[in-house]
Amino acid sequence: MFVFDRPVRFADVDAARIVFFARFLEYCHDALEALFAPLEGGYAAMINRRDLGVPSVRVEVDYRAPLRYGDTARVETRVERVGRTSIVFVHTLRRLADSVECAVVRQVVVTTTLSTLRPVPVPDDLRALLEG
Amino acid sequence: MFVFDRPVRFADVDAARIVFFARFLEYCHDALEALFAPLEGGYAAMINRRDLGVPSVRVEVDYRAPLRYGDTARVETRVERVGRTSIVFVHTLRRLADSVECAVVRQVVVTTTLSTLRPVPVPDDLRALLEG
Amino acid sequence: MFVFDRPVRFADVDAARIVFFARFLEYCHDALEALFAPLEGGYAAMINRRDLGVPSVRVEVDYRAPLRYGDTARVETRVERVGRTSIVFVHTLRRLADSVECAVVRQVVVTTTLSTLRPVPVPDDLRALLEG
Amino acid sequence: MFVFDRPVRFADVDAARIVFFARFLEYCHDALEALFAPLEGGYAAMINRRDLGVPSVRVEVDYRAPLRYGDTARVETRVERVGRTSIVFVHTLRRLADSVECAVVRQVVVTTTLSTLRPVPVPDDLRALLEG
């Protein structure tokens, strides 16, 4: 399991004073960038130099408790499955202070050539990282 | 069915040059604000004056095609169910120019007193609007 | 003077419950996109097809009153000057309901070839639009 | 001088593939949150518990070079002046890899009671932090 801490930022909340529901996906994305960091050049080189991306094809979110400004979200990411061209991640977002579960996000991504948006087999280095 | 057009904004895309996956939820939220506009004072009065919100408890997104800068997303929102304290929306996002389906979002919200974050029955005016 | 109305969106506010200071620049950008709409293909074609952009080189903002969720910002844009490769815009943001001045933004942009980020003379159609 | 490193995030760029101009202000805000962290409870407690904020009244930005995805912005923040109810910060944003100056931001904020939005003298602990 990969753990990533993400403080709620000042402008992450909405007019209801809780973290806007779309931002939970941003937090998961930030966790993936951190998880991919050991790849050479990290996530950015994957996008910029290898023309490789991991767009989501399916996302399911169960929201269980709100996050507020002042909280830190702890994102616990588990790799559920590495397929031929797809990867399934399950992210559990907890409020760091008391470990309350705020959301569970199941995210299916497809390894994709960005210039064509065609699926491509999960590259060896990424597979090794995720299965390691 | 309620229809809402949302041009992709300049900063909605990400480094892969397609609309960032979390923003699809923003587009659905914008559609809901427009759908709720006939309520007295609209969505804003609901939040600011009635202490009432509709936080999501469950969201499922199937991403089928990318949106790019220059596209307009047409969000077609259908009310699948109005329960006692919950509402189920299904949003189909199409690229306006050619009607290609870009995503389907199923969103379950709970009518909630914001100051306590406790569920509250769907108010009559909202129920009438959604069932109308 | 060009006038553009931009409702404050649900997630535009910050934890202090007022529109986040950086978003005032987003509102000005949205006004520019609307102002450029009469160009063939609009702002998007300028970026996507003509490889032309108008990055800012200088921005000054005087914040005078807050905007809140439920407000609409009226952006009044005046073209102060069209130079050889630069354009100066002055945006006055008012709260629509009572015309209170919320901010004045002076923005200097440079017409730029995006692939090289080199300045390029203001194209004729844009100059005609802005001087018209 | 206070130094804060902020990697460019995946969705920070715009359709011109450079960091969106409004986000430079977000980066400065993030630097301020980090700078204020030694206050008891940090920036969040200031907002949530002390009803104290530091809204900007004036911002000037000179944009000198673009930031791209893959870059990290180093924000160097200098306190230019601590007045009775106002503070002047000057942020220099550099690209971490080569120290190229990307922007200089001069930001004037006013210490403010958030519930009334009235100016209030700079509190002693904040003054001590900024003058220390």
Side-chain angles (χ1 to χ4, degrees):
Chain A
M1 196 177 64
F2 180 78
V3 175
F4 174 72
D5 288 340
R6 171 73 153 73
V8 172
R9 284 193 315 269
F10 190 57
D12 284 353
V13 297
D14 59 29
R17 309 205 77 173
I18 56 179
V19 171
F20 187 53
F21 79 128
R23 292 200 195 279
F24 283 70
L25 297 187
E26 274 185 52
Y27 290 20
C28 294
H29 176 85
D30 290 352
L32 282 196
E33 286 204 41
L35 170 53
F36 283 33
L39 297 181
E40 181 163 350
Y43 200 99
M46 194 181 78
I47 300 289
N48 292 338
R49 292 211 286 266
R50 296 169 70 177
D51 191 27
L52 179 69
V54 288
S56 295
V57 292
R58 167 92 179 159
V59 160
E60 296 160 33
V61 191
D62 285 295
Y63 297 90
R64 301 211 168 127
L67 285 164
R68 293 189 168 81
Y69 181 57
D71 292 337
T72 290
R74 166 154 290 185
V75 185
E76 301 168 348
T77 300
R78 194 166 53 81
V79 180
E80 188 181 284
R81 182 172 176 272
V82 183
R84 207 182 67 86
T85 62
S86 68
I87 310 163
V88 183
F89 297 101
V90 178
H91 311 274
T92 304
L93 284 78
R94 296 181 187 281
R95 200 160 52 204
L96 182 58
D98 57 8
S99 293
V100 163
E101 201 175 279
C102 296
V104 177
V105 181
R106 192 168 177 277
Q107 178 184 20
V108 184
V109 306
V110 169
T111 41
T112 299
T113 299
L114 287 176
S115 53
T116 60
L117 288 178
R118 292 269 174 74
V120 71
V122 177
D124 290 345
D125 59 341
L126 180 55
R127 183 179 298 274
L129 174 69
L130 298 176
E131 294 178 345
Chain B
M1 197 177 64
F2 180 79
V3 175
F4 174 73
D5 288 342
R6 170 73 154 74
V8 172
R9 284 195 313 271
F10 189 59
D12 284 354
V13 299
D14 58 30
R17 309 203 78 172
I18 56 179
V19 171
F20 186 54
F21 80 129
R23 292 201 196 279
F24 283 70
L25 297 187
E26 273 184 53
Y27 291 20
C28 294
H29 176 86
D30 289 352
L32 282 196
E33 287 205 40
L35 170 54
F36 283 32
L39 296 182
E40 180 163 349
Y43 200 98
M46 194 181 79
I47 299 290
N48 291 338
R49 291 212 286 267
R50 295 169 70 176
D51 191 27
L52 179 70
V54 289
S56 295
V57 292
R58 167 92 178 159
V59 159
E60 296 160 34
V61 191
D62 286 295
Y63 297 90
R64 300 205 170 133
L67 286 163
R68 292 190 168 80
Y69 182 58
D71 292 336
T72 290
R74 165 154 290 187
V75 186
E76 301 169 347
T77 300
R78 192 165 54 79
V79 180
E80 187 182 283
R81 183 172 176 272
V82 183
R84 206 183 69 86
T85 62
S86 69
I87 309 163
V88 183
F89 298 101
V90 178
H91 312 274
T92 303
L93 284 78
R94 297 182 186 280
R95 200 161 51 205
L96 182 58
D98 58 9
S99 294
V100 164
E101 200 174 279
C102 296
V104 177
V105 181
R106 191 167 177 278
Q107 177 184 20
V108 184
V109 305
V110 168
T111 41
T112 299
T113 300
L114 287 176
S115 52
T116 60
L117 289 179
R118 293 266 174 76
V120 71
V122 176
D124 290 346
D125 59 341
L126 180 54
R127 183 178 298 273
L129 174 70
L130 297 176
E131 294 179 345
Chain C
M1 197 177 64
F2 180 79
V3 175
F4 174 73
D5 288 340
R6 171 72 154 73
V8 172
R9 284 193 315 270
F10 189 58
D12 284 353
V13 297
D14 59 29
R17 310 204 77 173
I18 55 179
V19 170
F20 187 53
F21 79 129
R23 292 200 195 279
F24 283 71
L25 297 186
E26 274 185 51
Y27 290 20
C28 294
H29 176 86
D30 290 351
L32 282 195
E33 287 204 40
L35 170 55
F36 284 32
L39 296 181
E40 181 163 349
Y43 201 98
M46 193 181 78
I47 299 289
N48 291 339
R49 292 211 286 266
R50 296 169 70 177
D51 191 26
L52 179 69
V54 289
S56 295
V57 292
R58 167 91 178 160
V59 159
E60 296 160 33
V61 191
D62 286 295
Y63 297 90
R64 300 207 169 131
L67 285 164
R68 292 188 168 81
Y69 181 57
D71 292 337
T72 290
R74 165 153 291 185
V75 185
E76 301 168 349
T77 299
R78 193 166 54 79
V79 180
E80 188 182 283
R81 183 172 175 273
V82 183
R84 206 182 69 86
T85 62
S86 68
I87 309 163
V88 183
F89 297 101
V90 178
H91 311 275
T92 303
L93 285 78
R94 296 181 187 281
R95 200 161 52 203
L96 182 59
D98 57 9
S99 293
V100 164
E101 201 174 279
C102 295
V104 176
V105 181
R106 191 167 176 277
Q107 178 184 19
V108 185
V109 306
V110 168
T111 41
T112 299
T113 299
L114 286 177
S115 53
T116 61
L117 288 179
R118 292 268 173 76
V120 71
V122 176
D124 290 345
D125 59 341
L126 180 54
R127 183 179 297 274
L129 174 70
L130 298 176
E131 294 178 345
Chain D
M1 197 176 66
F2 180 79
V3 174
F4 174 73
D5 288 341
R6 170 72 154 76
V8 172
R9 284 194 313 269
F10 189 58
D12 284 353
V13 299
D14 58 31
R17 308 204 78 172
I18 56 179
V19 171
F20 186 53
F21 79 129
R23 291 200 196 279
F24 283 70
L25 297 187
E26 273 185 52
Y27 291 20
C28 294
H29 176 86
D30 289 352
L32 282 196
E33 287 205 40
L35 170 53
F36 283 32
L39 296 181
E40 182 165 349
Y43 200 98
M46 195 181 77
I47 299 291
N48 291 339
R49 291 212 286 267
R50 295 170 70 176
D51 191 26
L52 179 70
V54 289
S56 295
V57 292
R58 167 92 178 159
V59 159
E60 296 160 33
V61 191
D62 286 295
Y63 297 90
R64 301 208 168 128
L67 286 164
R68 292 189 168 80
Y69 182 58
D71 292 336
T72 291
R74 165 153 290 186
V75 186
E76 301 168 348
T77 300
R78 192 165 54 80
V79 180
E80 188 182 282
R81 183 172 176 272
V82 183
R84 206 182 69 86
T85 61
S86 68
I87 309 163
V88 183
F89 298 100
V90 177
H91 312 274
T92 303
L93 284 78
R94 297 181 186 281
R95 199 161 51 205
L96 183 58
D98 57 9
S99 294
V100 163
E101 200 174 279
C102 295
V104 176
V105 181
R106 192 168 177 277
Q107 178 184 20
V108 184
V109 305
V110 169
T111 41
T112 299
T113 299
L114 287 177
S115 52
T116 61
L117 288 179
R118 293 266 173 76
V120 71
V122 177
D124 290 346
D125 59 341
L126 180 54
R127 183 178 297 273
L129 174 69
L130 297 176
E131 293 179 345

